[in-house]
Amino acid sequence: MADTRKAPAEPLVSVLDLDKHFGPTIALDGVTLSFYPGKITGLIGENGSGKSTLTSIIAGMQQPTAGSMAFKGQPYKPATMIEAGRQGIGMIVQEQGYVPGITIAQNIFLGEEGLFRKMGVISKKAMVRAAKEALLSIGIDDIDPALYIDQLNLQDRKLIEIARIMRMDLDVLIVDETTTALSQKGRTLLYGIMDSLRGKGKAVIFISHDLDELMQVCDAMAVLRDGRLIAELDKADFSEDTIKRLMVGRELSGHYYRDDYETQENTTPTVLEVHQATSATGLLMNFSMDVKKGEILGIGGLSHCGMHELGKVLFGEEPLLTGSVTHTASGQSIVSARQAMDLGLGYVSKDRDQEALVLSASIQDNIMSAGLDRVKAGPFILPGKVQAYVNKQINNLSIKCASPKQNVQYLSGGNKQKVVFGKWVGRDCDILVLDCPTRGVDIGVKAAMYQLIEDIKNQGKTIVMISEELPELIGMCDRILILKDGRLNGEFERSRDLDELKLIERMI
Amino acid sequence: MKNRWETIKNYFPLLGLLILVVFFSIATGGALLSPISLQSLLNQVIATALVALGSVFVFGSGNFDMSLGACLSLSAVLGGMADIATGSLIVAFLVCIGLSLLLGLLKGLFASFVDVPLFIVTIVLGSLLSAFTLFILGDASAVHLKDALQPLPSFSFSQMSVINLVVLLSYFSLCLVLFLFMPIGRQVKILGGNAVTARQSGIPIKKVKVGAFLIGALGIGLAAFVILVRVRNIGASTASSMGTDVMIALVLGGMPLSGGPRSRISAGLVGATSITVLNAGLTMMGLNIAVIQIFRAVVFLVVVYVASMTYRTRLLPR
């Protein structure tokens, strides 16, 4: 897609050949892109396409692996967000960006309390007064800044973050998927702010998963895929079909995935039933599904669609407000991880380093952590049995290590993930819930994981595979459910004709 | 290379102990290693080691117990009172162990079911127990076993050493078996390392916590009994420095106080010996108690600092 745009002026910010690597994962691959004054530029792409990585580098949250940036024609290399802010580039982040337990005014003037110091004492009154003005300047007149921020609902807390950012005299505002956290009123307010910045000749970079919203608000759009810039579009070229087509089409090379496409008979019994489940976090809402014996069931969707919560719900790790998860064979409702394990379930968390592994523990201790009941002889654990159990996993999964006593923190991402798999494969689980099983692992390990997943299926076991990678879902699963806003928004059977576009249409 | 370094690091605590022994032998002109001194060292090591061994489970699982000393002195005082009232050492033994287990259960239940940082709970509990001990002592500052209705057996220095050794070896073996050859040892390490991982791996967290506190409490009860039999005069201030001694012992023994996979039983034994040698050596050098306290504090801070550099992990409670 050629860039037909005539640049209206010198770009305000540009990035040149920007690379960002996280270990073996390439998050940005030679991205060159400019943002112009008086324009709102949208960034769009699938999960993991590199949008947030790009903006976080521009905002000074992290440093690029290679490449350079320029701001107002000068080389630009912020070491921190504060430095970027001082120069005139600010970002409203996707996650929580406020400090709980203090007042709204204190949040707005975080780090700038000195402005209100009189003879060594900070005047709360003056701060509240100034906060009121700051809120008014972006059109909020119904929030008392003397209140604690915790008294506001989540949507209004986001507005406070916006007010704080807008106090800075910004030349470039980055909005990273903020609108999903805002009420309609908040959205309108944010659009107003973006509009007024545009009017003042500033630049706005806007990330959103909502295509309609982007098409409405933006003057230009850049499509990213697998860390690469795929296309730049001017408003005149916006069309839903074109953009969706540009977003998909991740390259599949090599023989990774299953090559069988025979339609399976749909008579296999159900092993798990989810009935009207609403998770305590509210990300999963009134969700129901059946999991069939021996299938690989794929679960897909955008970030915050509730799919990761679904994984935890299946394993009894996330409390339910309503509904239930039933293990069909036993008729039991699953309410805890221990119970789920006793019923033959296993769970690989998406968050490998924080949840699935104890980083400071050895490979052996990690693999054994879920399998102690498998090596018991009476009340005792026999070292010989432990060794055999652990060595079997290390050999079967080809975990590269000097010894089973080696700490997992020194292993590569792929080897760490193999240890996590070893925890559950060793237990010989009947139902495995895998949340992003190939996240952050290199190609070789990925292929090995797919082979393993296929082998497990061939043993008649069931797999629920939650994934942010559509080719993986299409290539591996017998059935794919797409979630949107915590609800089921599409179901697809395995087929040669299934493509990413069909799935994406259900995700956005 | 990394692995060899890890293996070498495992011997640091023993090396530290060796350095302490050599240093104080020279500083005291050899007095530290005289037969009398050795026997007295042994007696002192025992009580600290009994408490420290059990504390490997408690601290190992990520719990921070600040009430060790108070639990010990209450158990010893009540054990002493039972002894005086009945004239039976067996009753005294049962009271020491029973009360200690009861307190351990209480702490374990708190750790499992009450959502308040446990080290705060145990600080409060420690104060409460000390106050309670003073209360039951009333006007007396201590209980004296010589006041017993029936004369109680009194043990010679060497007899006492034998009793001590038997108690310590039995408890050490028990801890070793529990830690290495039963699920709770591995569960403690995983729980201390990452509670979320532990839960997701199906480890019964509440049971493990209660179990860890009960094992620790058994050590405290045994320590209360051997101190009672050896010292024979027990007051509210008996073993008042036990809490800090045990924490220093665990750190000197090479285990982070935040617990986790680096917890090990040897930390209790090696660490207890190190802190006892340190205390005895400083006393023998003729330093006054205030200077010794300062010195202990400095050693503690230095070891925590060095350990946190080499282990790249937190040593203090979360």
Side-chain angles (χ1 to χ4, degrees), chain A residues 98 110 114 122 182 186 206 224 233 236 268 277 335 343 362 468 483:
Chain A
Y98 62 90
L110 209 59
I122 291 173
L182 287 174
F206 185 37
L224 292 168
L233 304 169
T268 44
V335 291
L343 292 172
S362 63
E468 291 177 348
L483 271 70

Side-chain angles (χ1 to χ4, degrees), chain A residues 146-165:
Chain A
L147 294 177
Y148 281 92
I149 193 151
D150 316 68
Q151 289 172 269
L152 298 182
N153 64 30
L154 288 173
Q155 293 157 344
D156 286 348
R157 286 180 209 175
K158 210 76 204 171
L159 293 179
I160 304 304
E161 284 178 57
I162 297 175
R164 189 182 76 218
I165 306 262

Side-chain angles (χ1 to χ4, degrees), chain A residues 317 338 354-355 381 423, chain B residues 181 194 197 199-202:
Chain A
E317 256 290 288
R338 181 69 251 172
Q354 304 297 324
E355 296 188 352
I381 286 179
K423 263 173 82 168
Chain B
F181 302 106
N194 186 335
T197 310
R199 199 184 57 226
Q200 288 190 2
S201 305

Side-chain angles (χ1 to χ4, degrees), chain A residues 485-504:
Chain A
D485 298 331
R487 295 187 167 87
L488 185 63
N489 201 43
E491 178 170 351
F492 300 89
E493 293 291 331
R494 181 170 185 78
S495 136
R496 269 180 221 282
D497 305 328
L498 189 57
D499 59 25
E500 292 180 48
L501 196 58
K502 290 186 182 133
L503 298 186
I504 285 210

Side-chain angles (χ1 to χ4, degrees), chain A residues 45-49 51 94 177 209 226 247 250 257 298-309 350-351 434-440 446 450 465-474 481-482 500 503-504 507:
Chain A
E46 264 188 65
N47 294 323
S49 59
K51 306 171 304 261
Q94 202 173 337
E177 274 185 66
H209 274 308
D226 290 334
M247 283 171 68
R250 283 188 166 182
Y257 303 126
I299 311 281
L302 298 171
S303 336
H304 306 298
C305 71
M307 59 181 178
H308 305 301
E309 287 67 28
K350 176 191 173 197
D351 201 341
L434 309 175
D435 194 350
C436 298
T438 61
R439 186 169 171 258
K446 242 182 188 177
Y450 293 139
M465 183 157 89
I466 300 160
S467 176
E468 291 177 348
E469 294 189 33
L470 298 181
E472 175 173 291
L473 289 175
I474 295 171
L481 304 182
I482 299 296
E500 292 180 48
L503 298 186
I504 285 210
M507 288 161 63

Side-chain angles (χ1 to χ4, degrees), chain A residues 234-354:
Chain A
D234 250 349
K235 188 140 196 148
D237 304 329
F238 286 1
S239 105
E240 217 177 303
D241 282 349
T242 319
I243 295 170
K244 279 183 183 167
R245 204 163 305 131
L246 287 168
M247 283 171 68
V248 299
R250 283 188 166 182
E251 282 166 41
L252 315 177
S253 55
H255 176 75
Y256 287 167
Y257 303 126
R258 293 165 57 190
D259 43 18
D260 59 304
Y261 281 94
E262 299 86 55
T263 41
Q264 289 202 329
E265 285 179 50
N266 228 348
T267 51
T268 44
T270 301
V271 287
L272 274 183
E273 294 158 61
V274 180
H275 181 68
Q276 299 278 318
T278 300
S279 70
T281 54
L283 282 168
L284 196 66
M285 287 197 276
N286 274 326
F287 181 84
S288 300
M289 71 167 188
D290 286 348
V291 183
K292 306 277 185 202
K293 183 172 164 43
E295 73 172 344
I296 302 180
L297 174 63
I299 311 281
L302 298 171
S303 336
H304 306 298
C305 71
M307 59 181 178
H308 305 301
E309 287 67 28
L310 175 61
K312 292 194 168 172
V313 163
L314 290 176
F315 195 60
E317 256 290 288
E318 170 123 358
L320 287 177
L321 289 181
T322 65
S324 62
V325 176
T326 310
H327 179 254
T328 313
S330 66
Q332 291 186 41
S333 288
I334 296 176
V335 291
S336 78
R338 181 69 251 172
Q339 183 206 9
M341 283 167 67
D342 292 339
L343 292 172
L345 272 85
Y347 170 69
V348 171
S349 165
K350 176 191 173 197
D351 201 341
R352 186 169 55 220
D353 287 1
Q354 304 297 324

Side-chain angles (χ1 to χ4, degrees), chain B residues 83-156:
Chain B
D83 204 348
I84 292 165
T86 62
S88 158
L89 274 181
I90 293 170
V91 173
F93 179 79
L94 291 177
V95 168
C96 285
I97 303 288
L99 180 70
S100 187
L101 286 177
L102 201 65
L103 292 171
L105 180 67
L106 184 74
K107 286 186 276 188
L109 292 176
F110 251 104
S112 305
F113 293 99
V114 184
D115 199 15
V116 175
L118 191 76
F119 81 98
I120 293 179
V121 172
T122 52
I123 288 174
V124 175
L125 182 71
S127 306
L128 277 175
L129 293 180
S130 298
F132 184 64
T133 310
L134 284 173
F135 173 74
I136 54 172
L137 280 171
D139 292 336
S141 62
V143 288
H144 306 284
L145 293 196
K146 65 174 166 46
D147 298 338
L149 290 174
Q150 299 166 28
L152 290 164
S154 171
F155 301 104
S156 73

